[in-house]
Structure formats: C-alpha cells, structure tokens
Amino acid sequence: MSSNSPRQPVRDLRFYLTVPHACSYLEGREATTLFLDPQQSPGESVYDALTLLGFRRSGQHLYRPHCENCSACVSVRVPVEEFSPSRTQRKLRTRNADLSEHVRPATFDAEHYSLYAHYIRTRHRDGDMYPPSYDQYRTFLNLDQDYARLLELRLGDRLLAVSAFDQLQHGLSAIYTFFDPASQFDRRSLGTYAVLCLIERARRLGLPHVYLGYWIQESRKMAYKQNFRPLERLDGRHWRRLIVD
C-alpha cells in the first residue's frame, strides 16, 4: 500500500465538466467527465500531480470520470518491483522473444497510422474510433511533449504493434496499444505483451509504477488488467492493493 500525494497543489488549476453522455463501457448508464481546462497546457509537473489523483491523458487533454451516481471506473497501477508474472505471461515473454523494441517520440508516422487504421477497422468497427481518420489519430496519439513516447514491436522489419505511453517522474502511463489483427499473431497476445514490455522498461528506468488507466469490474474489455498482479487501485487519494473476488 502507498499513499503518494502530488508535489504540486491543484487548487490553482481550472477544470470543467462535460454534460452527461452515454457511457462508453457500461450499457444503459450515463457518464460525466472532469477535464483540465485545455487552455492550461498539461506540462510534466501538472501531469505528474494529476496522475496521482487518477487523471488520464487523451491527446492534449487530461481527464477523469466524475459520475454522480457511479464509481465503477477505478484507476489502477502495477507496482513494478512487486510484480510477478504469471505462468501465462512468462510463456508470452518466451513466445515474443523474437520481437525487437524501439521507442520513439509520439510524432506522426504513416506506417503507424496504417496499422492503426487496419486495427480499428478489423477489431473496433462498433467503437467510438470507427471509422479511423488521420485527424482523429493525430489528435488522440500524437503529442509534441518530451514525456510522450511510442513503443514499436517489430518482427524483423514488420511492424506488429505500437504502444503509446508517457514517461512520468513516478512511472509509465499506458495510453493505448494497437497491433496487427492477423490471426497468425493471436498466440502472441500483443496487447498483453506490450504491457509486460512497459513494466520491464519501468523496472530498467527505476520507475516504481505502470499506470493502466481505468478498470471496471463489470466490463469484459477491462478484465485483462486484473491479470497483472499485484495491482493497486486509487481509493480517494490513497493507492491500495486491489482485491478481486
């Protein structure tokens, strides 16, 4: 258990609430989102402080759920030094040992976009990001900040996956991963493997946590996050061990 408190007070920052809208994760529910005022650039110190309070980044925006009658979205993170890969995760490491890793700034790359568009069209035709577009991709995953990075996973010269993440002072924050949806790569579980790569990268950098965003117990799409153990959840301003029934 840990109870980090942000170095920078947030009382001087401006925030705004969205109007209630359909929840992206739980059918039949309404959601409200709290955003940092977009006129206040999410510099590294502000971002560090707000991440400890459960905020996430999407493009240039920092946000977190602020739903009046629902608390299903739980911020979770992996304590790197305590993480112990499961038997399945150890097998994935072996299975993907032939992949190379390359970390790049979060700038636009046509090869990345081509893979992203193919992934969205194949796996997420029913989602908010369909149909994919250049503008949508740039707004979501490209950012001219030193902390914003892209992790490439390649098999030889072939790009198999890209994981967008941010490097903060107290950990890595996983933003979004997309990968080659071809069935021949299913056994590689590239989404899970990308998280394992971030955990190992954080370990090498001496960073204590990898932030995985929000976990919702009722959402099957979020279930994979509870496979990274131990896992911590944000409870108010304190991070505590997540116990899953």
Side-chain angles (χ1 to χ4, degrees), residues 9-17 34-41 46 50 55 62:
V10 298
R11 60 179 175 270
D12 296 330
L13 300 175
R14 297 186 302 273
F15 298 88
Y16 70 92
L17 284 172
L34 180 69
F35 277 94
L36 175 67
D37 188 327
Q39 299 302 313
Q40 296 186 278
S41 175
V46 170
L50 292 180
F55 279 75
L62 296 182

Side-chain angles (χ1 to χ4, degrees), residues 22-30 218:
C23 179
S24 300
Y25 302 109
L26 299 176
E27 188 175 353
R29 299 199 194 181
E30 283 192 335
E218 301 172 53

Side-chain angles (χ1 to χ4, degrees), residues 95-101 153-156 158 160-161 188 190 193:
R95 198 172 293 157
N96 288 292
D98 55 345
L99 301 187
S100 60
E101 300 177 28
L153 297 177
R154 291 182 178 273
L155 180 62
R158 181 168 180 169
L160 290 194
R188 291 182 178 270
L190 291 165
Y193 182 65

Side-chain angles (χ1 to χ4, degrees), residues 25 29 40 53 70 73 83 103 109 121 140 157 178 187 197 199 206 215 218 231:
Y25 302 109
R29 299 199 194 181
Q40 296 186 278
L53 297 175
C70 180
C73 291
F83 172 70
V103 174
D109 182 280
R121 292 188 185 110
F140 180 32
D157 292 332
F178 53 94
R187 292 185 70 252
C197 290
I199 293 173
W215 172 77
E218 301 172 53
L231 199 62

Side-chain angles (χ1 to χ4, degrees), residues 162-181:
V162 176
S163 182
F165 72 97
D166 292 334
Q167 185 168 321
L168 307 176
Q169 291 189 2
H170 46 77
L172 303 182
S173 180
I175 304 298
Y176 191 74
T177 297
F178 53 94
F179 50 84
D180 193 322

